[in-house]
Amino acid sequence: MNKIALGVLALFISFNVFGQARVMNPGEAHGQLVFLSAEDILEESDKYESLSPISIPVFAEMPFNMSVVAGAITLMNQGLLSHVQIKARARKIPNVDISALEGGMSNPIFEGFGDGDFIHLVALADGNITVSASDENQAKSFYQQKVAGSEKIELVSDLNTQQVFLMPDLSWQDFSKVGSKAANYAELAYALNTPEREVVRPSMAIPFFYYAQFVEDNPILKDAIKGLLRDPLMRRVSATKYRDEKLKVIRELIESDVTVIDEDFLSLLVAKLDDFVSPSGEKMKMKFRSSTNAEDLPNFNGAGLYSSKSYKPMKDGEERSQKKKLKEAKEALKEVWGSVWNLRAYEEREAFGIAHDEIYMGVQVNPSYSNEEVDGVLVTANLAENDQFSGAGVYIEAQRGDEHSVANPEPGVQSEKILVLYDANEPLNKELYQIHYLSQSNVADDMETILPAANPHKVMYEGEVKDLVFQSLKASEHFQPIFSTDQGQTVPLDIEFKVDDLDSGQRQVYLKQVRPFIQ
């Protein structure tokens, strides 16, 4: 493509001329168009893996993880809480949904531009979108200026606290010891749990101290990390594959037998894990979840950057030996700790100007939801607000079972979308809640099969929806003084939830994560 032939002003295309393109997140970007087929995404091809901070991918299917890119365009319908939208909003990059337009990657909006061409994309909140020619130097310069102009994110880490915490021992103020995810989880339990009802299941937290100790106790790892951070090629914008390979070496070293974890700590950890027992008397399967000091912050949520890992004390109905449980705990810890050096985490921190050598990994440990009926995400704000649905609201996306993700759905999978309007003067009055089912799930009642049309059965019953909204608004009231930076400004919450029947044999709403919603 000879872009000079298009003229100095190149070609400007206004998407709103075509009527149905959706600006999911407004913004401006200079970057290289990368057309990604469904196969590229599903098979994680080299083309998909090579996306860089100066790429503007056009996704034929929704990606499971979107690395740091300059902007995003999708040919598939996006939910308001989709992974792409969450990332675009957090990164302040343009995100456009052209699923309603015909032509796919041959759509007239790409006229004059092809795969590999550099463009200047401007997507406005009013729906107007323009595309013009750019070049690689402009793209790199634009990205570097954006990083340089980013608000400085101050990281806090207490590396002296040497204690495995049980949930009642923590509050939100302990974020400097265990990370905001674990600290907020404990605070959520304090706000919602009662003697009659457990809305937030028990947990424990492993502080930053033990990750820092692990690095110090393994000089070969410490030196490898120092070498990585001194490598000038790690900062070359387009060198995504190089960074990926170098980071993989660090993760493999962490997870190998070459690096060791303090044995006294491991024994203490397994002893505490043994106290988590199911109603049937079995030791519980637990989930080790990341809780870094750069996660779930008001200006950086870090969603999807790090890894989780299951700890399984039982096998075929029999309790594992102490030796096997120690091995399970060690493998879970190493995988979560190692995810500090995931490519997506490294790229995201780089884009926000966060110092990699100031990152410490805490770990939240809570029971797995092995019998979950519903998996979902909500925001305590009316994201679907329009003339028909105006006023205070809670927006919910839910899916039956745990086979199909809400934030990262497989191609063709639709979640249930619900808007609940409430009286702002009486937010905890369930009788005044107005439930609106905006769309239906197309997952069958077996929780696995994808149907060719919507499933007429609701994912969530109306009583469960009301209970979920009640608990979420109660949490919102509790967290406002904690999350608010300006007096009188309401901070919406981003909440992950489950409906599970493990504890009581009956379906019940549980909340499992809370963080500020980045607007």
Side-chain angles (χ1 to χ4, degrees):
M1 172 67 61
N2 185 352
K3 291 187 287 292
I4 297 177
L6 296 175
V8 176
L9 295 179
L11 174 66
F12 284 82
I13 302 170
S14 177
F15 284 34
N16 64 351
V17 169
F18 299 93
Q20 294 175 307
R22 300 164 64 208
V23 175
M24 302 294 295
N25 198 64
E28 178 183 8
H30 288 262
Q32 185 178 34
L33 276 174
V34 181
F35 289 171
L36 293 165
S37 68
E39 290 74 20
D40 285 325
I41 296 162
L42 295 174
E43 297 173 8
E44 298 185 343
S45 68
D46 286 344
K47 192 175 184 181
Y48 174 72
E49 292 288 325
S50 297
L51 290 175
S52 80
I54 58 170
S55 299
I56 299 179
V58 181
F59 295 112
E61 298 285 359
M62 296 297 285
F64 299 114
N65 285 297
M66 185 173 74
S67 57
V68 172
V69 291
I73 301 171
T74 67
L75 303 183
M76 294 293 290
N77 181 54
Q78 292 188 45
L80 296 175
L81 299 180
S82 71
H83 173 77
V84 172
Q85 173 60 358
I86 289 171
K87 287 300 182 186
R89 186 173 57 243
R91 296 168 183 166
K92 299 179 176 63
I93 62 172
N95 175 26
V96 179
D97 174 349
I98 61 170
S99 60
L101 306 181
E102 297 180 357
M105 292 179 187
S106 299
N107 192 279
I109 64 173
F110 299 120
E111 184 180 348
F113 300 100
D115 191 11
D117 286 337
F118 281 86
I119 64 168
H120 178 205
L121 170 65
V122 180
L124 302 180
D126 63 7
N128 189 58
I129 305 165
T130 58
V131 178
S132 60
S134 186
D135 58 45
E136 184 173 5
N137 288 334
Q138 283 181 292
K140 288 180 178 178
S141 176
F142 187 82
Y143 170 72
Q144 289 162 351
Q145 289 175 20
K146 185 175 180 180
V147 172
S150 296
E151 175 188 355
K152 176 66 175 175
I153 297 176
E154 300 291 341
L155 301 183
V156 180
S157 53
D158 172 354
L159 303 182
N160 298 314
T161 300
Q162 186 175 353
Q163 174 186 353
V164 177
F165 291 93
L166 294 178
M167 190 169 70
D169 302 326
L170 291 169
S171 76
W172 72 271
Q173 294 173 310
D174 293 302
F175 69 93
S176 63
K177 303 170 185 174
V178 298
S180 290
K181 183 186 290 183
N184 290 345
Y185 185 93
E187 189 69 29
L188 189 65
Y190 172 76
L192 301 183
N193 285 350
T194 66
E196 297 76 32
R197 168 86 183 275
E198 187 177 84
V199 182
V200 181
R201 299 179 77 187
S203 74
M204 61 184 189
I206 301 167
F208 302 139
F209 170 86
Y210 293 103
Y211 171 79
Q213 180 189 54
F214 173 67
V215 175
E216 288 295 326
D217 286 351
N218 293 278
I220 187 172
L221 172 61
K222 186 177 181 180
D223 290 344
I225 292 172
K226 285 182 176 179
L228 178 89
L229 298 182
R230 286 196 300 262
D231 184 349
L233 289 179
M234 290 296 291
R235 292 184 176 273
R236 183 172 291 177
V237 176
S238 56
T240 306
K241 292 290 287 183
Y242 180 85
R243 281 191 292 276
D244 192 17
E245 291 169 2
K246 292 296 182 181
L247 290 163
K248 184 179 179 182
V249 170
I250 298 293
R251 294 196 307 276
E252 288 178 344
L253 180 58
I254 288 174
E255 294 180 27
S256 73
D257 292 334
V258 173
T259 52
V260 298
I261 299 177
D262 182 82
E263 292 184 3
D264 290 338
F265 161 58
L266 272 179
S267 297
L268 170 66
L269 179 59
V270 168
K272 288 186 175 293
L273 287 166
D274 280 345
D275 290 334
F276 288 81
V277 181
S278 72
S280 64
E282 292 186 346
K283 298 289 192 296
M284 297 185 77
K285 179 182 175 182
M286 306 292 283
K287 180 74 78 173
F288 283 43
R289 306 184 72 209
S290 69
S291 183
T292 67
N293 59 336
E295 206 172 349
D296 291 2
L297 304 178
N299 51 356
F300 185 81
N301 68 18
L305 299 184
Y306 306 102
S307 302
S308 298
K309 178 70 173 176
S310 291
Y311 164 80
K312 302 173 183 177
M314 309 290 294
K315 184 178 182 181
D316 299 328
E318 298 292 328
E319 185 176 345
R320 294 183 189 269
S321 67
Q322 179 71 3
K323 182 178 179 181
K324 291 289 181 63
K325 287 191 289 187
L326 288 168
K327 184 173 183 290
E328 280 280 313
K330 179 168 66 176
E331 289 177 353
L333 274 174
K334 283 192 168 190
E335 184 162 331
V336 177
W337 282 346
S339 68
V340 167
W341 306 103
N342 284 344
L343 175 65
R344 59 183 180 271
Y346 185 95
E347 300 272 66
E348 191 98 354
R349 296 193 300 259
E350 193 75 11
F352 280 83
I354 297 174
H356 303 291
D357 57 357
E358 294 179 8
I359 299 296
Y360 295 96
M361 177 68 80
V363 183
Q364 178 189 315
V365 186
N366 53 260
S368 296
Y369 290 84
S370 54
N371 293 323
E372 66 189 67
E373 300 284 335
V374 179
D375 177 38
V377 182
L378 69 83
V379 174
T380 57
N382 184 355
L383 299 188
E385 184 162 12
N386 54 39
D387 292 340
Q388 183 181 359
F389 302 119
S390 61
V394 174
Y395 178 80
I396 303 166
E397 293 193 5
Q399 188 59 273
R400 52 176 50 87
D402 64 349
E403 185 71 20
H404 304 288
S405 169
V406 172
N408 298 314
E410 298 92 337
V413 178
Q414 298 295 324
S415 62
E416 182 171 84
K417 298 177 176 62
I418 308 168
L419 176 67
V420 181
L421 299 177
Y422 64 90
D423 187 331
N425 296 316
E426 297 184 67
L428 302 184
N429 187 342
K430 294 183 185 179
E431 299 300 318
L432 300 180
Y433 293 172
Q434 301 173 40
I435 302 175
H436 301 277
Y437 288 87
L438 306 179
S439 69
Q440 297 167 294
S441 165
N442 64 346
V443 175
D445 292 343
D446 66 6
M447 303 185 183
E448 295 183 6
T449 307
I450 307 303
L451 301 173
N455 185 336
H457 299 150
K458 291 182 173 66
V459 173
M460 294 191 71
Y461 308 135
E462 290 193 5
E464 292 170 345
V465 173
K466 287 185 176 183
D467 182 38
L468 173 62
V469 171
F470 174 85
Q471 300 295 343
S472 300
L473 292 178
K474 188 177 176 184
S476 180
E477 286 189 351
H478 182 85
F479 275 93
Q480 287 312 306
I482 297 170
F483 289 160
S484 290
T485 54
D486 299 315
Q487 279 191 337
Q489 181 184 14
T490 300
V491 178
L493 302 187
D494 176 347
I495 294 175
E496 294 182 19
F497 67 90
K498 303 281 188 182
V499 176
D500 187 88
D501 63 4
L502 178 64
D503 293 337
S504 64
Q506 296 181 332
R507 289 170 57 120
Q508 180 187 310
V509 168
Y510 293 92
L511 304 193
K512 64 182 287 280
Q513 184 169 337
V514 61
R515 58 189 169 208
F517 177 68
I518 296 179
Q519 300 182 81

